[in-house]
Amino acid sequence: MKNKITFFLFFIFIWGCSDDRLKPLEKETAVEVEIPETGSETEGEPEPEPEEIDFKNNTEASNLFLAQPAKIPVNIDNSMPFVSVNGTQVYVEVEKFVKKKDNSPVSFPVNIELIELFSPGDIILNGKPTVSNGKLLKTGGEIFIRITKDGDEVILKDDHYLRIKIPTKKPDNQMRLFTGEEDVEGNLNWEEEPQWITYECNSDKRQPGIDSNCFNTERVSLTVNDNNYEFFTGDLGWINCDRFLNDESPLTTISFEAKNAPLNAILLYLYFPDINSIIAVKNGVSLEVPIGQNYTYVAYAVSSNDLVYAEWKEGLTVAKNQKIELNLVETTPEALLDFLDGL
C-alpha cells in the first residue's frame, strides 16, 4: 500500500520596491503525491534472454562460399595449351590417359574441370590451408584439376605426366611441387612430390624447350620461370606450389574461445602475410606457429537460415601461449568477401 502525503504549495509574489508589493497570500493549493513504501520499489522488466542461434556445422557452412570448377571442353590436340582466365596453362596429351573405371584408352574431346586458388581469401573460403603434416607451407598457388571423357574420370598412365604452368608475380626459386590428399572429413594435407621425375613422350609429341630426345628424360618436377611455375605431375586433383619455411623461431600455439557460438560451428583461419601461409584452427587450438610472426585471423559461422556471423582482426603478432576470445557478430556475405579480397 502507498501513503498519501499532502504538500501545500504557496504562491507568493516577490517583494518589490513599489506599493504593489503588499499583496495577500494566494489560496493554498493541495497536491497529492504517491510515494511507494520502503522496500516496495517497482522494478523494471527483466531483460529478455538473447535468442539462441542454430548454427550449421563446419562442412555445411563452408559450402556457402565454395568455388565451383570451371568446366571447359577441349576438342583437338592443336588447341594446347588450354589457358584459363587466370593464366593457368594445361597441356593435355590424350594418349597419356586412360579411363579410371576400366583403363580403356582416351581420345578427344575431353572436359577439363579447373579450380584456381591464388589468393589467401580464396584459399580460406575453400578450406584448403597450406599445411603439410602439421608444418606451415609458403604457397605459390593451388589448383584443382579433373579431366573426364564422356562423363568418366580419366587418370594418367604409370610414368606419364601432365604438364601445367601456373602464373606468379613473385617467383620463388625454392618452390616445390605438392599434391593434396583429403580425408573423409574434407581436411586437406599436402605431400611433397619427388623433385626429380623421368619424363616420357612420343617423338612426334616433342615439347619445345622440354627435352632433346623426348625419351626417358630425367628432369625436375617443378621449374621456376620469370612469370610462372612449370611442373609435371603424375596425379590429378589438388596440386600446390609450396615450400617449407626456413624459420628457426621458437614455436607456440594460439588458443581461441568463443562467446556466442560453439567452436565446432566456427570456421577459423590464420593468415601469415609475411610468409603467405594459411592454417585452419580446429577445436580452438592452432598448430604450432613461429613466435613473432605477423598474422590475421578470420572467423565465421553460418546459421541454419544462412545468416553470416563473423569476426576478423589484422595486425596481430604471435606471442607465447596466446589466448583470444572471439565475439562473432552478424554481418553480410559481401562484407566478409570484401575483407578477404583485400588480404
Side-chain angles (χ1 to χ4, degrees):
M1 172 177 185
K2 298 180 180 178
N3 298 324
K4 293 186 178 180
I5 300 176
T6 302
F7 289 86
F8 290 91
L9 305 181
F10 298 93
F11 296 89
I12 305 174
F13 287 88
I14 297 179
W15 202 281
C17 296
S18 68
D19 292 341
D20 294 336
R21 67 183 179 274
L22 298 176
K23 299 286 185 180
L25 294 176
E26 297 289 341
K27 184 179 178 180
E28 295 176 345
T29 304
V31 179
E32 292 184 347
V33 179
E34 293 185 353
I35 297 180
E37 290 180 348
T38 304
S40 64
E41 290 82 7
T42 303
E43 296 183 359
E45 294 293 328
E47 292 186 4
E49 292 290 330
E51 183 179 350
E52 188 172 343
I53 301 169
D54 180 26
F55 286 101
K56 295 182 176 182
N57 62 42
N58 281 351
T59 302
E60 293 174 329
S62 65
N63 289 339
L64 186 65
F65 298 106
L66 286 182
Q68 298 302 312
K71 298 182 179 181
I72 308 100
V74 179
N75 296 311
I76 52 175
D77 196 6
N78 61 12
S79 64
M80 294 299 110
F82 158 75
V83 182
S84 76
V85 293
N86 292 314
T88 297
Q89 302 176 46
V90 182
Y91 295 78
V92 177
E93 299 173 57
V94 290
E95 68 275 5
K96 294 182 177 183
F97 293 91
V98 293
K99 287 188 177 181
K100 185 176 181 179
K101 67 178 184 180
D102 57 11
N103 284 330
S104 60
V106 174
S107 60
F108 286 112
V110 295
N111 282 284
I112 297 177
E113 299 178 16
L114 183 67
I115 298 175
E116 301 166 283
L117 307 180
F118 295 150
S119 71
D122 286 341
I123 292 173
I124 289 171
L125 289 175
N126 287 273
K128 298 296 180 283
T130 56
V131 175
S132 176
N133 299 314
K135 296 182 179 180
L136 276 67
L137 297 171
K138 177 179 180 178
T139 183
E142 305 174 0
I143 66 169
F144 172 85
I145 186 165
R146 181 173 182 261
I147 300 177
T148 60
K149 169 67 178 180
D150 299 328
D152 295 323
E153 185 177 356
V154 307
I155 58 175
L156 284 154
K157 298 177 183 178
D158 291 342
D159 298 323
H160 288 73
Y161 298 87
L162 178 63
R163 180 188 178 195
I164 300 176
K165 295 180 182 180
I166 65 172
T168 181
K169 295 180 180 179
K170 297 179 180 179
D172 184 333
N173 289 324
Q174 297 183 59
M175 285 295 178
R176 296 291 181 263
L177 182 64
F178 287 73
T179 54
E181 290 291 335
E182 287 184 289
D183 62 21
V184 292
E185 297 180 351
N187 300 311
L188 188 71
N189 182 63
W190 296 102
E191 293 285 355
E192 186 174 6
E193 293 295 299
Q195 187 175 355
W196 292 89
I197 63 171
T198 299
Y199 178 87
E200 296 181 1
C201 69
N202 299 326
S203 59
D204 60 344
K205 296 289 185 182
R206 197 168 295 165
Q207 302 282 350
I210 298 294
D211 310 311
S212 56
N213 57 19
C214 221
F215 293 106
N216 299 324
T217 302
E218 191 174 51
R219 57 167 293 116
V220 292
S221 57
L222 185 145
T223 302
V224 181
N225 300 318
D226 290 340
N227 57 7
N228 63 63
Y229 296 115
E230 178 181 2
F231 55 87
F232 291 80
T233 178
D235 297 302
L236 304 184
W238 284 105
I239 303 169
N240 198 350
C241 297
D242 292 289
R243 70 171 175 85
F244 290 104
L245 303 183
N246 297 321
D247 192 333
E248 298 181 357
S249 302
L251 303 175
T252 190
T253 59
I254 305 173
S255 300
F256 292 83
E257 294 182 352
K259 294 176 62 175
N260 52 356
L263 282 172
N264 60 9
I266 298 175
L267 291 150
L268 175 57
Y269 294 91
L270 308 184
Y271 167 53
F272 301 89
D274 296 337
I275 54 177
N276 202 32
S277 185
I278 299 99
I279 68 171
V281 177
K282 303 289 186 180
N283 302 315
V285 181
S286 76
L287 301 173
E288 288 191 323
V289 294
I291 292 175
Q293 277 289 341
N294 297 321
Y295 75 98
T296 296
Y297 72 74
V298 180
Y300 73 92
V302 180
S303 70
S304 57
N305 55 348
D306 288 335
L307 296 177
V308 176
Y309 295 79
E311 183 185 18
W312 51 79
K313 194 168 185 179
E314 299 180 275
L316 301 172
T317 303
V318 177
K320 186 177 180 180
N321 299 326
Q322 200 167 27
K323 295 183 179 181
I324 294 175
E325 185 176 60
L326 300 173
N327 183 25
L328 275 62
V329 296
E330 185 178 344
T331 186
T332 63
E334 291 77 15
L336 176 60
L337 293 174
D338 285 346
F339 174 75
L340 291 173
D341 283 345
L343 291 179

